[in-house]
Amino acid sequence: MGSLVPKPQGSQLPTTGSSLEQQQARTRAINQASIDQVDRYIATQQQRERALQQEIQVEQQRRASEEQARQQYKLANQQLYESTYQTLQGMLEGRRHWDLKRAVFLTENAFMNGGLDYTQFSTDIHELTQICRGLAADSARPDLAARFMALHRLMTDTIRVTYNGKLASVHMPPRYDFKDFWGREDYTMQFVNKLLATNGGQCHSMPLLYKLVADELGIKSYLSMAPSHSYIQVKDNRGVLYSYETTRGFFVSDSY
C-alpha cells in the first residue's frame, strides 16, 4: 500500500483569474462608493454654504434697509422735535401767543412722531366744554359759579346729553387708570390724548384736561405741582384759592 503524504499546513489553493478580478471589482466598487459619498457630502456642504451666504446677504440688506429707515426717521423726528421746542420756547419767552392746549398737543405729538390730529384734539376739548356750558345754562347759580360746578360735574358725574328732548349721548366721568400710571413702560399712558381716547388717566393727564376745559370756560385755574403729583387750584368770585384733586373729584386742604 502506498502511504499518504500529508498536505503542508497553511498552504492555500491557487487563486483563479476570475475570482481575482471579482475581488478587484468589489474593491473598486467600494472605493467608488466611498468617493461618491464624499462627493455628495461636499456637494451638500457647498449647497448649505451657498444657502447660508444668501441668508447672510438677505439679512445684511434687511439691516441696511432698516438703518436707512431709522436715519430718515431720526432726521424727520429731529425736525419735529426742533420745531416743537422752538414753539414752546417762544411761548415761554413771550415771542409767541401762550396756548396751553397747543403746547400740550405739540408735546404729545412730538413724542408720537407727528401721528396725532390737532383738529380732533381740539374737537374733543370743545365737546367737553359745550357739555359744561349746557349744564351751566340749566343752573340757577351765578354764571361763574355755574360753570365752576358744571366742570366739577364733568369730572365726577355721569351726564346725559339731550338734544331736542332726545338722549344724544352719555358722558362718563374720567376714571383713574392704575395700569402703568407712571408711564414707565408706555409713556403715552400719561398723555391727555390717551385720556380723551380711553377716559382713563392719572394725576398728570387729568389736571391738564381740567385746566384745558376750564380755560375755554373762562375759569381762572392753576396747574399746581406737588412731589410726584399735580392737581388744580381755582379761585372763586371773592378770589379765594381752593385746591381741587382731579383724581378723586373733591376739594382738599393745603395740608392734604
Side-chain angles (χ1 to χ4, degrees):
M1 295 179 60
S3 60
L4 297 175
V5 179
K7 182 179 179 180
Q9 295 182 356
S11 62
Q12 297 180 353
L13 295 174
T15 303
T16 63
S18 59
S19 61
L20 180 60
E21 291 176 357
Q22 292 174 354
Q23 183 177 0
Q24 291 175 344
R26 284 195 299 271
T27 302
R28 287 194 299 270
I30 294 172
N31 291 339
Q32 186 61 47
S34 298
I35 294 172
D36 292 343
Q37 185 178 6
V38 171
D39 289 342
R40 286 195 298 271
Y41 175 79
I42 293 175
T44 300
Q45 290 298 104
Q46 290 175 342
Q47 185 178 6
R48 290 178 178 175
E49 181 65 24
R50 288 193 296 270
L52 178 60
Q53 291 300 324
Q54 289 177 352
E55 290 180 2
I56 292 175
Q57 185 177 8
V58 170
E59 178 65 16
Q60 289 175 342
Q61 292 174 349
R62 184 188 66 80
R63 291 184 179 182
S65 178
E66 287 184 352
E67 180 61 26
Q68 182 180 7
R70 276 195 296 267
Q71 292 300 326
Q72 293 174 350
Y73 173 83
K74 180 179 179 181
L75 178 61
N77 190 253
Q78 284 179 337
Q79 292 172 348
L80 178 60
Y81 265 70
E82 180 64 24
S83 65
T84 300
Y85 174 79
Q86 293 297 334
T87 300
L88 296 177
Q89 187 178 42
M91 289 182 183
L92 292 173
E93 294 177 351
R95 293 182 287 104
R96 291 177 178 267
H97 171 66
W98 169 251
D99 186 345
L100 179 62
K101 181 171 68 175
R102 186 72 178 172
V104 170
F105 174 83
L106 288 175
T107 303
E108 296 183 1
N109 188 54
F111 187 88
M112 296 299 293
N113 310 309
L116 299 178
D117 184 352
Y118 183 68
T119 300
Q120 183 61 54
F121 183 71
S122 297
T123 299
D124 291 341
I125 300 296
H126 179 71
E127 288 179 353
L128 296 177
T129 304
Q130 289 300 99
I131 291 175
C132 291
R133 292 189 188 279
L135 293 173
D138 294 337
S139 174
R141 295 173 179 271
D143 181 56
L144 180 60
R147 284 177 281 149
F148 186 79
M149 292 306 301
L151 181 52
H152 172 68
R153 284 191 61 190
L154 184 78
M155 300 297 293
T156 60
D157 197 6
T158 300
I159 301 173
R160 291 168 174 81
V161 181
T162 58
Y163 182 75
N164 290 333
K166 296 182 179 180
L167 182 65
S169 63
V170 177
H171 170 76
M172 303 297 293
R175 56 179 175 77
Y176 195 95
D177 189 351
F178 288 92
K179 181 180 178 182
D180 191 22
F181 54 87
W182 289 108
R184 289 169 177 166
E185 297 179 8
D186 181 3
Y187 193 63
T188 64
M189 297 294 286
Q190 296 200 3
F191 284 5
V192 177
N193 275 280
K194 182 266 179 188
L195 170 57
L196 291 171
T198 67
N199 209 34
Q202 26 43 31
C203 65
H204 176 81
S205 58
M206 293 174 76
L208 278 173
L209 178 62
Y210 183 103
K211 178 158 178 57
L212 292 178
V213 178
D215 287 350
E216 296 205 359
L217 288 172
I219 299 174
K220 187 68 174 179
S221 63
Y222 303 88
L223 183 65
S224 304
M225 311 304 293
S228 301
H229 187 63
S230 63
Y231 60 103
I232 289 293
Q233 289 187 305
V234 291
K235 284 184 178 180
D236 64 9
N237 290 327
R238 299 170 299 168
V240 178
L241 197 63
Y242 294 91
S243 297
Y244 186 76
E245 180 56 63
T246 57
T247 60
R248 303 292 297 276
F250 55 70
F251 294 95
V252 296
S253 65
D254 289 341
S255 60
Y256 177 89

